Amino acid sequence: MIRPDLRLPRSGSVRRVYVGLALLVLMTPAIAMQFTGEVAWDLRDFAGMAALLALLGIGLEIVLRLARTPSARLIGIGGAVAIAMLLWVELATGKVI
């Protein structure tokens, strides 16, 4: 049995927070492009990052729905974030880790 203080918030609120953070991540290079020439993203870059963030969101949703214990959730979330970061590095550099 899960202790009441370890329950997650309703999935709608978690989803809204994630979408807000994903939009913030996508807005960061768009804002940086207005002030410096060192950031030069095109439509493919934004689409790729949006797809990566969407896949991460789907992965997190699956983990939060299937994992029953807090430790399993933590491991699943860490794994999903680690996979997303590895994909991001691969896409950014083109080098296989």
Side-chain angles (χ1 to χ4, degrees), residues 6-20:
L6 293 178
R7 290 188 188 154
L8 288 173
R10 293 178 297 145
S11 66
S13 62
V14 172
R15 195 174 298 129
R16 271 182 266 162
V17 168
Y18 178 77
V19 169

Side-chain angles (χ1 to χ4, degrees), residues 42-74:
D42 60 2
L43 186 59
R44 289 183 312 153
D45 294 321
F46 283 103
M49 186 56 126
L52 181 63
L53 291 171
L55 288 174
L56 175 60
I58 291 168
L60 292 175
E61 186 79 24
I62 290 170
V63 166
L64 292 176
R65 286 180 186 256
L66 295 180
R68 298 288 181 217
T69 63
S71 60
R73 286 183 181 140
L74 186 61

Side-chain angles (χ1 to χ4, degrees), residues 81-93:
V81 170
I83 290 169
M85 291 179 79
L86 286 172
L87 284 171
W88 181 24
V89 168
E90 172 63 30
L91 291 170
T93 63

